[in-house]
Amino acid sequence: MKNRTLPIGIAIIAAGIFIALGKLGFFQALGAWFWPLLPLAAGGILFWAVWTRRLPPAAYVPGAFLVGASIAFLLCAWFGWHWMKALWPLLPLSLAAGAYLFAEAERIPPLRAMSLGVGAASLLALLVTLLVYVNGFVVALVLIVAGVAVVARRPNFR
């Protein structure tokens, strides 16, 4: 008889914990902080569908936009929405990345060149907005670390 009541007792305890967490606002905070993971997953599914040839390469464009936008939204949800004034270049950058992937898959050189230009302009805008809105030392540190990584990974020609 004791073995039958154990699962019922555990279910009652779990329901009580679930209700208490809901009353404390745990699920509301969880939803507010992690909702950008849904479009990130949708973009990942689009990439997977193209890689497995279930969708045409044109699906790279919305997939890349969903991934890029959700990364910006996730950072804003975690650190505050005032960061969007510095992270907005991620949106055109993600569109340019999707267009580049599509141009490579379909072998469209003009689109590839245009997407590289838009991507370079977006990266420049991201760097400028980070320099303006974030402490310049943080950006300088990131650039130094990136430069050291490039130098450390170069092949030795001895």
Side-chain angles (χ1 to χ4, degrees):
M1 196 68 159
K2 289 183 181 181
N3 289 340
R4 290 186 192 170
T5 59
L6 182 64
I8 293 172
I10 291 174
I12 292 172
I13 292 170
I17 292 172
F18 188 76
I19 291 170
L21 287 174
K23 290 291 185 183
L24 291 172
F26 175 76
F27 298 112
Q28 182 180 5
L30 194 66
W33 288 348
F34 294 110
W35 70 265
L37 293 177
L38 294 176
L40 182 68
I45 289 170
L46 283 175
F47 275 112
W48 172 80
V50 173
W51 290 332
T52 58
R53 299 178 192 260
R54 295 174 195 259
L55 286 178
Y60 277 134
V61 178
F65 183 74
L66 284 171
V67 169
S70 64
I71 288 171
F73 294 156
L74 192 63
L75 290 171
C76 288
W78 288 352
F79 301 112
W81 286 96
H82 63 279
W83 278 93
M84 187 53 86
K85 64 185 175 188
L87 296 176
W88 68 265
L90 287 176
L91 302 178
L93 179 64
S94 62
L95 281 175
Y100 181 79
L101 290 171
F102 172 65
E104 281 295 314
E106 294 291 323
R107 297 193 172 112
I108 307 171
L111 180 61
R112 184 175 56 212
M114 184 272 312
S115 62
L116 285 174
V118 171
S122 298
L123 280 175
L124 181 63
L126 182 64
L127 182 65
V128 168
T129 57
L130 286 176
L131 281 172
V132 169
Y133 293 114
V134 180
N135 190 349
F137 290 111
V138 174
V139 176
L141 181 65
V142 168
L143 290 174
I144 290 169
V145 169
V148 168
V150 167
V151 170
R153 293 186 62 180
R154 70 179 175 86
N156 287 333
F157 295 108
R158 292 183 184 180

